[in-house]
DNA sequence: TTAATAGTGTCTGTAAGACAATATATC
DNA sequence: GATATATTGTCTTACAGACACTATTAA
């Protein structure tokens, strides 16, 4: 420890932002990947990310949004900070910190640029850097929040039916949910509200009513648990 | 955007770590503050923090632990990353990122160095930089986790009684809890285990049995809610 | 014995799961 | 009407809160 050293005598680590953008395509969770246009790993697909530009970005969330705009032409519906991975080994170029974000988009509302694509999360393994770790944390986060918040609702378009919302929760949580209990909870908690407009007829059977999220921003259930039998603890 | 610019041509932001260390003194939550030995705010008390030292610190958590050792002689029992505050305005010296941590210690097990002191959280207002924001997030975090994890247990010494554990939860959550329900939950969830050793007699009434946390690390309740009446949502 | 605090038993209310019953669409 | 899916009703069960009751200590 050299307390006399001025603070700027320490070499400043690299500071970047990486974003895990999740969306739902054909009822399956996908993740945005972009082709790298520089070394290292030039040409391979990784999570979208980039350096903070001190001149343009007011904060790191703005960095995340700028990176998504520039590298994938994506505007997100929801974004939240995930975790900061900061150590001497994650990037060969030196001590590096990556502020990671989780973002949710509706796949129908984006038109990706050339070098970007959505990949099923089940197939996005073995990513460069520590991106597998970051992606894993994003999936943990959305699963966790699915059990007590409206987050999975952001994967759908603005108006949706309750059966489709239930399917999204089931997809994210990885379990089947009881339809009656699901409806009761989602309505009792005032997570959704009915929308007058009639929906497209799905093809067979009684048509479902359309709903939308009651709030534009993320709502939670007061920690009421969405997982079945979770009260037993585990 | 100038994609031809090499990454190192961007000026690297400042990267620091700030730590909110919480402890319990006379049944009241306190926060560690240290006197600054440099500008800005030389001489005033702030959250302990410091620059990442790329040469010594393998990761940012190690930075946090080193800062606490050096500035306050504190070894923590539990530490977790809180949030990263990263923007152009939080520090007058320039675009700056602070990776913040929440740490929990037992006040009896530390002997603070000269320039450090514990301050009741109720009195720690109007801190320099954005430290009030960071402190607020730490308090939100421990309150949130109190509702579904063993985190508040780390505020106590290794062995404790269930009534004292209940008091800690009540202190952190800010509500009275039902003793029977509390014991049931904490025992059913296998959060604690009885310890054979007899405790100090508290002074009056039937002496309480001693328990310790069943796991050395943070356990959660499977999102079972600790707050009363929380099922109603809010 | 009394006072004080620790710990248990039991009743009640609420909400989740199961699942039967009803509603509304197409063919 | 037959079929399919959406939506509601209701029974059962598990758990949290309330609170009275029992247990164990010192004085």
């Amino acid at each position: 420890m050299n307390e006399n050293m001025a603070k700027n005598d320490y070499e400043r680590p690299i500071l970047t932002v990486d974003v895990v953008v999740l969306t739902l395509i054909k009822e399956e969770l996908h993740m945005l990947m972009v082709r790298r246009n520089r070394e290292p790993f030039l040409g391979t697909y990784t999570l979208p990310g980039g350096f903070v530009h001190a001149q343009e970005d007011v904060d790191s969330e703005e960095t995340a949004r700028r990176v998504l705009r520039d590298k994938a032409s994506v505007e997100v519906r929801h974004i939240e900070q995930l975790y900061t991975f900061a150590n001497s080994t994650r990037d060969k170029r030196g001590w590096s910190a990556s502020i990671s974000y989780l973002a949710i988009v509706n796949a129908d509302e984006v038109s990706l640029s050339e070098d970007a694509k959505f990949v099923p999360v089940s197939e996005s393994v073995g990513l460069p850097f520590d991106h597998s770790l970051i992606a894993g944390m994003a999936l943990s986060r959305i699963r966790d929040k699915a059990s007590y918040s409206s987050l999975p609702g952001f994967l759908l378009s603005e108006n949706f039916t309750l059966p489709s919302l239930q399917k999204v929760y089931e997809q994210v949580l990885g379990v089947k949910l009881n339809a009656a209990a699901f409806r009761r909870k989602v309505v009792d908690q005032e997570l959704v509200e009915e929308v007058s407009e009639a929906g497209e007829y799905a093809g067979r059977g009684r048509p479902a009513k359309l709903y939308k999220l009651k709030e534009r921003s993320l709502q939670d259930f007061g920690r009421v648990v969405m997982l079945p039998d979770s009260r037993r603890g585990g």
Side-chain angles (χ1 to χ4, degrees), chain A residues 4 7-8 12 21 37 41 52 64 84 95 109 112 121 126 131 137 148 152-153 156 167 170 203 206 220 233:
Chain A
N4 299 320
K7 57 243 163 214
N8 290 325
R12 293 185 179 180
V21 180
N37 60 4
F41 299 108
V52 166
T84 297
W95 216 103
E109 293 167 3
L112 295 183
V121 296
H131 287 188
M137 187 159 286
Y148 65 87
L156 295 172
K167 282 206 191 79
E170 290 175 340
R206 174 174 172 177
D220 75 81

Side-chain angles (χ1 to χ4, degrees), chain A residues 210-229:
Chain A
L210 281 182
Y211 291 80
K212 64 175 183 180
L213 293 178
K214 192 150 184 175
E215 307 288 339
R216 288 292 300 170
S217 57
L218 188 66
Q219 296 299 302
D220 75 81
F221 294 3
R223 297 223 166 270
V224 171
V225 175
M226 184 62 76
L227 289 164
D229 221 9

